[in-house]
Amino acid sequence: MTVTPISDDSTLSLVSPTIPAKLPQQDAPVKLGILASGSGSNFEAIAQAIADGHLNAKIQVLIYNNPGIKAAARAERWNVPAFLLNHRDFKRRQDLDAQIVQTLREYDVEWVILAGWMRIITPGFIDAFPNRIINIHPSLLPSFKGIGAVEQALAAGVKITGCTVHLVVPEVDSGPILIQAAVPVLPDDTPETLHARIQVQEHKIMVEAIRYATALPNALAARQHQVEVSSEPHR
Ligand SMILES: Nc1nc2c(c(=O)[nH]1)N[C@@H](CN(C=O)c1ccc(C(=O)N[C@@H](CCC(=O)O)C(=O)O)cc1)CN2
Ligand SMILES: NCC(=O)N[C@@H]1O[C@H](COP(=O)([O-])[O-])[C@@H](O)[C@H]1O
């Protein structure tokens, strides 16, 4: 599974070499804020990876928008602070997003993970966390963007689909791709059986993507430092 690194400058561009297998280990765990609208199995995969020592991170807060969803129960089990911000209570999308950003700031979040967040977020939200918002999508983007991606794949009759983790930009499901996994479509698949097979891969690439993406700025900074040190005149 190849993870293509991204540059850390303002104009995001994918650089070709695969990220080295061994990245500089961050000292402090990276602080994650997770947004969910449903079951929360990707939230759980992240929490489990942290607990198993496979991800140097800490989930600071979970924000969810639908009352009573399973993601909230999972957060409680993992002792993660969880807040319901119901989009139906806000007149404007921007107002919901402003409340989300305020909550994320209060919990000192560094990276935002859209783990089945079923709302389009505004440019103001994205600007608050530039190149620091990650989304997981149940198709091989750019195929089958938007909601109902699994149903779209079945309707299209594709034999291979999968899942994608990407950085979030204002245009939906169009940001730089961090990692993908392919999944076969079987003749008797239903949306449920296919989605379940996709989610097995989602839980793997979600963690991989966070591990590499959050390490990249440090790795790039370390490389920059190396370049600066090596270019200093010899005394
Ligand atoms: N600005 C962006 N916002 C979001 C992105 C993104 O790439 N850019 N990714 C999505 C996640 N997503 C697919 O992966 C997605 C989620 C929801 C929708 C959508 O049309 N939502 C509707 C409401 C649908 C509903 O409530 O059932 C809406 O927001 O009006 C499209 C794509 C997360 N946000
Ligand atoms: N367009 C966004 C979208 O469809 N996202 C999908 O929602 C599910 C959330 O599952 P989870 O709540 O069990 O993590 C995941 O399959 C994710 O790819």
Side-chain angles (χ1 to χ4, degrees):
M1 198 177 293
T2 302
V3 179
T4 308
I6 49 159
S7 64
D8 203 34
D9 60 20
S10 56
T11 52
L12 269 182
S13 62
L14 296 183
V15 292
S16 55
T18 305
I19 298 175
K22 188 89 180 105
L23 285 170
Q25 186 62 38
Q26 296 155 329
D27 298 333
V30 64
K31 297 170 185 170
L32 306 179
I34 300 183
L35 276 58
S37 297
S39 166
S41 71
N42 278 285
F43 162 86
E44 183 112 28
I46 296 166
Q48 190 64 60
I50 293 170
D52 294 346
H54 296 157
L55 185 60
N56 183 22
K58 183 173 182 298
I59 304 174
Q60 301 288 98
V61 63
L62 172 81
I63 292 171
Y64 61 103
N65 66 316
N66 292 313
I69 58 171
K70 203 171 168 189
R74 294 182 197 259
E76 187 176 0
R77 279 205 304 277
W78 284 95
N79 297 314
V80 171
F83 292 89
L84 170 62
L85 295 180
N86 190 331
H87 62 277
R88 303 164 187 86
D89 297 337
F90 294 83
K91 278 200 175 65
R92 301 184 312 154
R93 204 178 287 271
Q94 296 88 322
D95 299 337
L96 166 67
D97 286 3
Q99 185 60 57
I100 292 172
V101 170
Q102 181 182 318
T103 304
L104 294 170
R105 293 281 191 238
E106 283 167 4
Y107 279 82
D108 197 21
V109 164
E110 295 167 323
W111 282 79
V112 182
I113 314 299
L114 306 185
W117 181 250
M118 299 306 286
R119 304 295 300 176
I120 295 170
I121 66 174
T122 56
F125 183 165
I126 295 169
D127 290 346
F129 292 89
N131 301 321
R132 293 291 184 278
I133 304 176
I134 287 173
N135 178 59
I136 190 157
H137 183 77
S139 78
L140 293 176
L141 292 174
S143 297
F144 314 130
K145 293 182 178 179
I147 55 180
V150 175
E151 292 80 357
Q152 290 180 57
L154 284 171
V158 297
K159 301 307 177 192
I160 300 286
T161 187
C163 45
T164 303
V165 181
H166 64 93
L167 289 177
V168 170
V169 298
E171 187 185 350
V172 171
D173 297 335
S174 302
I177 291 171
L178 293 171
I179 192 166
Q180 295 184 303
V183 171
V185 181
L186 303 183
D188 57 350
D189 262 331
T190 65
E192 293 70 29
T193 60
L194 178 54
H195 189 218
R197 191 173 314 115
I198 290 171
Q199 286 222 286
V200 171
Q201 297 305 319
E202 285 193 342
H203 300 155
K204 295 175 185 172
I205 68 170
M206 182 92 255
V207 173
E208 283 293 308
I210 296 171
R211 199 148 57 87
Y212 280 108
T214 57
L216 264 181
N218 294 35
L220 290 169
R223 189 182 302 168
Q224 181 60 32
H225 177 66
Q226 283 167 351
V227 167
E228 284 163 3
V229 167
S230 62
S231 60
E232 277 180 3
H234 293 292
R235 300 199 186 290

